[in-house]
Amino acid sequence: MNRHGNHADGRRDAVILGGGLIGLFTAYYLLREGRRVTIVERERLGGGAARGNGGQIVSVDCAPLPAPGMVGEGMKLLFSPTSAFFVKPSRLPGMAAFLVRFALNSRRSKFRSSLARMDVLNRRTVELYRELRQDGIGTGVHDEPFLYSYTTREQAEAGHAYAVELAARGLGPAPGALMDRDALVAHEPALGSEPQWGFVQAGELFAEPSALVDELIAKVRELGVEALEGESVRDIEETAVGVRITTSQRTLVAEQALVAAGAWSAPLLKQQGMRSIIKPGKGYSFTVDVERAPKSVTMFGDAHVGALPTGPGTVRIAGTMEFDGSTGGLDRRRIDAIVAAAAPHLAGADWAGIRDEWVGPRPMTPDGLPHIGLVPGRSRVFVCAGHNMLGLSLGPASAAAIADHMQGRPRADVVAAFRPGRFRLWGRK
């Protein structure tokens, strides 16, 4: 391998299809073990949902999206283009299997089961980020407690009770006491007029995602990754001695292949005979100047958005879930809706001067859990995709687990919890 990371002799141990957070983290762990790794990325490394997310690295509040109450709330908002959860009506037929399974997984018993499975990864989140920081990745990760704010006491009490339940599972410290309006503003003067109740939650982390991604890319390049950017994958063929990957520009041969293409994973998995039911759920974010930035991540429960402090006078606002069948294309109505929802919650913001508007697809699964392991019926093609809105949180733990599996050290708990073939009864297509 030459100093630019090119495998001059054509030999590759692993080809990772996708250069987003999951692909980059997996490359890091494989490279650390001396593997020859190539990443094939359709655009540029660190694209997709990697850079524009809300920067939250959650441990205590790490939970699957399908949850009790989500179906009832979602049905009220489903077809409104300004709602926090929107499905384009013309896409409903193609979303039917996803939405039915989403509803089934929102039952309390299913939610608790999914939450327990997510714990398999989630329990390592804080530990792994500490280790990454020591290797120059995530040097800007902060651990200031999050603030959860609400308009009504009823909503605040429900959110607080849920946080207490999660802490009781051993996922972190219990939340702080419930605060009324006076205590809330005393704790966080940046709040607007709308929040009346809230609480703080320690044990969570946050980071400016683009800075973290840049450090991760720099590290894998330093370790010798071969990055093939601007290439799309046309075909994956497993043979008796390896895997042949055909891209838009070349043919690659490797011992193993990993599908880690986020929202673009479904077609690659379908070509392998695996029904993944991964749908692109588009999220939006933008930057706004403020007179005073919150001291930490602040979640506005009523508005379904979060605020990430990115500097002394700037905040990144992120939120919404849009299913329109595409992986790109910014809808101005979605940005306007987020502004309208967030404005009463944050004081002194220049809402007329928002900038850095971003939209990106999150790889959503109907049970809120990723696929991690061997593709069913394959012995050399792996998958690590479908992390929903939790790629930044679960990325290191997922990548470490799939890297172990590719090294012949599969973890039984991960294999059981995130079995890639769990939707196969709905058809192999």
Side-chain angles (χ1 to χ4, degrees), residues 103-421:
L104 292 174
N105 281 285
S106 296
R107 294 177 295 174
R108 187 166 297 278
S109 60
K110 285 287 189 179
F111 172 74
R112 291 184 181 279
S113 173
S114 295
L115 192 61
R117 287 189 281 168
M118 192 166 284
D119 289 355
V120 171
L121 297 175
N122 187 38
R123 290 179 182 276
R124 300 195 66 198
T125 295
V126 174
E127 165 203 349
L128 289 175
Y129 267 103
R130 286 174 180 159
E131 293 176 0
L132 288 165
R133 184 186 181 97
Q134 293 175 358
D135 205 16
I137 301 169
T139 59
V141 171
H142 304 275
D143 61 358
E144 187 76 23
F146 287 15
L147 175 64
Y148 292 80
S149 67
Y150 303 85
T151 299
T152 70
R153 178 164 188 156
E154 179 183 14
Q155 290 172 316
E157 288 178 339
H160 190 267
Y162 177 64
V164 168
E165 178 184 349
L166 292 180
R169 299 174 65 91
L171 298 178
L178 202 63
M179 295 184 286
D180 61 14
R181 171 68 183 179
D182 290 342
L184 201 59
V185 175
H187 172 80
E188 184 47 83
L191 290 175
S193 60
E194 192 75 6
Q196 301 297 316
W197 298 87
F199 60 90
V200 296
Q201 176 64 66
E204 312 287 44
L205 307 173
F206 68 93
E208 202 291 303
S210 195
L212 188 151
V213 169
D214 285 341
E215 289 178 342
L216 182 53
I217 291 172
K219 178 57 66 173
V220 297
R221 289 193 186 279
E222 175 189 319
L223 292 172
V225 75
E226 178 186 30
L228 304 179
E229 300 177 284
E231 296 191 30
S232 57
V233 177
R234 302 285 175 79
D235 185 60
I236 310 167
E237 180 187 0
E238 182 172 301
T239 70
V241 295
V243 184
R244 182 180 295 109
I245 299 102
T246 304
T247 78
S248 54
Q249 298 185 30
R250 71 195 80 206
T251 297
L252 307 171
V253 177
E255 291 184 6
Q256 298 170 322
L258 171 68
V259 177
W264 291 271
S265 296
L268 300 177
L269 296 171
K270 182 178 180 181
Q271 191 257 351
Q272 294 296 301
M274 174 183 156
R275 187 178 178 96
S276 61
I277 319 186
I278 295 176
K279 299 292 184 182
K282 288 157 58 178
Y284 287 72
S285 67
F286 55 81
T287 297
V288 61
D289 292 329
V290 291
E291 294 176 1
R292 180 200 297 264
K295 63 174 66 77
S296 180
V297 167
T298 303
M299 306 299 295
F300 307 132
D302 309 83
H304 301 287
V305 299
L308 169 74
T310 53
T314 60
V315 170
R316 192 76 179 165
I317 302 291
T320 204
M321 178 65 67
E322 178 184 33
F323 291 101
D324 68 353
S326 73
T327 54
L330 187 146
D331 186 337
R332 171 57 49 186
R333 294 173 297 177
R334 309 297 294 170
I335 295 287
D336 293 342
I338 296 173
V339 169
H345 294 262
L346 190 63
D350 179 17
W351 298 110
I354 65 172
R355 62 185 188 279
D356 302 329
E357 297 170 352
W358 176 92
V359 60
R362 291 155 311 186
M364 307 300 294
T365 59
D367 59 1
L369 302 173
H371 302 286
I372 304 175
L374 274 167
V375 170
R378 300 291 183 265
S379 61
R380 296 176 179 272
V381 181
F382 297 77
V383 57
C384 190
H387 287 76
N388 294 259
M389 301 163 67
L390 296 168
L392 193 60
S393 299
L394 299 180
S398 298
I402 197 64
D404 279 347
H405 200 155
M406 295 173 74
Q407 291 284 81
R409 305 187 300 267
R411 284 179 49 189
D413 55 350
V414 173
V415 171
F418 307 103
R419 183 169 51 87

